[in-house]
Amino acid sequence: MKIIFGMIARQLTDPGPIVAFLSNAARHQRKIERVIVSVSGEIDPTAVRAIEAHAPLEVIDLKRPVARMAELVELGLTEAEASALFAHPVFERSGRMPYGPNRNGVILAAIKAGGDVLFFADSDVSPLLLSGTPHQHFFEEADVFGSHLAALTEPGLPMVGVTTSDYSGYYIIPPMSFEGLDIFLEGLQKEGALDFVRHSGKHHALTFDAGAARQPFSTDKILGGNVAMRLEIFRACLPFFSTAYNFEGTWWLTRGEDTLLGKSLAADGKWKVVDIDLRLFHDTFDNFPEVPDVLSDEGIRDRFYTTCLGWIGRNPILNALDGKDAVAISNRQIECLSRSVDAAAAYFGDDRFLKLPEAAKAALDQLPAALEAYDTLQRLWHKAVEGAWLLRQVEGAEAEAEAGGAKL
C-alpha cells in the first residue's frame, strides 16, 4: 500500500517534526511515497530541501490563492464551488485556515498523487511513546506506520477504514482546581474530563502509552494528529469538517474536525475505526517535561483560552449534526459558563475568561452559517473526490506510458 504522510502547518520552517517521522519509517523499512504539507504561512527553502532529502515533498501554499484555485478547478470544480469548499473569510483576514478544509485539501492531493493510505500527524506530535510514571518517565520508539498498517489490513467486515489513537503527554486541560470547575467544564462540553482534571495533582495531567497492555478497540473518536486513513473511504464518506466563528470582531477556529469524520464513518456502516492504542507523544505545551502551570505560565493560559473558544465554537454544530437539540444544549452551556466564569477568571487571574458566555452566544447565533457550510460539503465533496480520482488515473496512465516509452 502506498503511504502518503500529511501535515497541516502554520509555517514550514523547521523540518524536524516531519523528518522524525520519515526517519522512523526508514528504520522500520516502511516506504513513504510522498509528503504533503498544507502551509498557511512562511515556507523556508532550507526546510523544504531537508525534507526532500528523505522523501518527495508537495507543498500546498495557501498564500498563493490563484494557483490554489487553479489546482481545485483542475478537479472539475467551478471557481464558485472551489471557493465554497476551501475559502473562508478567516484566512483572508487572519492568515489561518479552518482545520477541516485545510486537512481536506491534503486528502485530495493524496488521492491525486496515487496514495492508498494517508497518515496525518500534527507538528507537535512525535513518533515516540511516553512511558513510565509521572515521577520517572522515559521515551520508547515504535513502528508507527507498521502498527497502523497492520490494523488497516486486518480481514473482516466491516473493513477497517481508519486507525487512530490518543496521545501520551500532557492533557490539553492543564491542572486546575476552583469552585465550580464541574459547571465550567460542562459549559465547555468537556464534563467527561472532570475526574481526570480533579486528580491531576496525582498524575500531573500526564497520560502514558500502555505498552504491553495495549488493547485496540473499535471507536468513532478520531484524533487528527495520529490517524491513518484508507483514501478510498472518501468516495463514500464525508471528510473532516470544521469552520470558524466571529466573536468581538475576531475569527476563531473551531475544533472537532476529526469528531465529525468519526461519526460520518459510523453512519456509513461499511467501514470501522480502530483505536490501535499506540499513544504517540504530544508536546502539548511545547515545554515538556515541565508540569504545565496555568497560573504562572502566560503561554499555557493563552493556549487554554484559545482552546476553550475552539470548543465553544464547535459545540453547536457538533450537537446539531448529532441529532440533538443544539439550541437547548447551548443555552444550558451558556448558563453554566455564566455561573462559573467569575471563579475561573479569578483563579486564572485573567479576565478574558469572563467573555466565554458571550462567545457561546456568538457561536450559537452563527450556527446557521455552520450548517450551511456543512450542506456545501455534503453537496460538493463527492464531485471533488471523483475529480481527484480521475486525475490520479490519468496521471498514472501517463506515467506508465512514459516508463514504457523509456524502455524502447
Side-chain angles (χ1 to χ4, degrees):
M1 302 179 79
K2 293 183 178 180
I3 305 171
I4 306 287
F5 180 78
M7 183 177 286
I8 59 174
R10 295 190 188 180
Q11 56 189 16
L12 185 56
T13 56
D14 178 10
I18 294 175
V19 170
F21 276 96
L22 297 178
S23 298
N24 175 275
R27 282 191 292 273
H28 296 280
Q29 292 79 51
R30 309 295 176 183
K31 182 180 179 181
I32 306 301
E33 297 289 335
R34 181 177 300 199
V35 177
I36 302 176
V37 188
S38 180
V39 186
S40 56
E42 179 185 356
I43 300 171
D44 184 347
T46 303
V48 169
R49 289 192 294 270
I51 296 168
E52 289 177 333
H54 296 266
L57 172 64
E58 177 179 347
V59 178
I60 300 173
D61 186 353
L62 299 178
K63 301 191 309 302
R64 300 171 63 242
V66 175
R68 182 65 184 137
M69 185 61 64
E71 292 168 352
L72 296 170
V73 169
E74 187 185 16
L75 300 176
L77 299 170
T78 67
E79 288 194 10
E81 291 170 338
S83 181
L85 272 178
F86 293 101
H88 198 283
V90 69
F91 183 70
E92 297 176 7
R93 299 174 188 179
S94 70
R96 299 182 65 198
M97 181 66 76
Y99 302 118
N102 206 355
R103 291 188 188 277
N104 294 343
V106 176
I107 289 172
L108 294 175
I111 292 172
K112 181 182 171 184
D116 298 308
V117 172
L118 172 61
F119 180 89
F120 262 120
D122 288 340
S123 59
D124 54 2
V125 173
S126 302
L128 298 171
L129 314 173
L130 182 67
S131 300
T133 69
H135 301 288
Q136 190 174 6
H137 40 70
F138 55 94
F139 288 108
E140 297 180 287
E141 187 176 279
D143 179 2
V144 174
F145 297 95
S147 297
H148 280 272
L149 284 175
L152 280 172
T153 54
E154 284 183 359
L157 294 174
M159 294 182 288
V160 180
V162 175
T163 53
T164 187
S165 187
D166 213 324
Y167 308 114
S168 52
Y170 287 116
Y171 186 48
I172 191 65
I173 303 178
M176 60 183 65
S177 178
F178 55 88
E179 188 69 29
L181 175 62
D182 55 340
I183 302 172
F184 180 71
L185 292 179
E186 183 182 349
L188 298 174
Q189 201 164 315
K190 297 299 289 185
E191 55 267 40
L194 178 60
D195 284 345
F196 186 86
V197 176
R198 274 181 169 168
H199 294 99
S200 58
K202 297 180 180 178
H203 50 61
H204 300 169
L206 272 177
T207 299
F208 298 94
D209 182 67
R214 290 187 201 111
Q215 293 185 332
F217 58 94
S218 295
T219 183
D220 65 359
K221 178 184 177 183
I222 293 174
L223 276 296
N226 180 11
V227 60
M229 305 173 288
R230 287 179 177 266
L231 287 167
E232 62 183 298
I233 68 174
F234 295 110
R235 303 188 85 162
C237 299
L238 291 176
F240 296 98
F241 174 77
S242 72
T243 182
Y245 70 111
N246 193 288
F247 174 55
E248 293 188 331
T250 299
W251 286 97
W252 299 94
L253 302 188
T254 64
R255 300 175 68 89
E257 75 279 7
D258 36 24
T259 304
L260 292 170
L261 173 58
K263 295 183 180 299
S264 173
L265 283 161
D268 179 77
K270 179 181 177 181
W271 303 99
K272 66 180 177 180
V273 180
V274 172
D275 187 317
I276 63 173
D277 205 17
L278 186 76
R279 301 192 169 204
L280 302 185
F281 175 65
H282 182 205
D283 194 0
T284 314
F285 301 105
D286 197 29
N287 66 345
F288 187 85
E290 294 181 24
V291 177
D293 188 344
V294 73
L295 301 183
S296 64
D297 191 318
E298 183 178 356
I300 291 176
R301 195 160 56 250
D302 286 345
R303 171 76 186 270
F304 181 61
Y305 176 70
T306 301
T307 300
C308 288
L309 290 173
W311 286 327
I312 284 171
R314 169 206 66 178
N315 292 339
I317 182 67
L318 174 63
N319 292 324
L321 295 178
D322 210 18
K324 300 175 182 177
D325 188 336
V327 174
I329 294 173
S330 286
N331 286 334
R332 167 63 182 173
Q333 291 170 346
I334 292 166
E335 176 193 350
C336 288
L337 290 171
S338 299
R339 291 167 52 194
S340 59
V341 291
D342 285 344
Y347 176 77
F348 297 130
D350 191 333
D351 286 346
R352 289 180 301 173
F353 287 86
L354 296 173
K355 301 177 181 180
L356 295 185
E358 291 302 318
K361 292 177 185 177
L364 178 59
D365 289 343
Q366 293 167 67
L367 174 59
L371 287 169
E372 183 178 351
Y374 191 75
D375 288 341
T376 298
L377 182 68
Q378 287 182 303
R379 179 169 52 88
L380 297 176
W381 176 249
H382 179 72
K383 184 177 181 180
V385 168
E386 290 308 311
W389 222 269
L390 178 61
L391 286 176
R392 166 200 187 108
Q393 293 168 345
V394 170
E395 293 183 6
E398 290 176 350
E400 286 184 12
E402 289 179 6
K407 292 177 183 178
L408 297 176

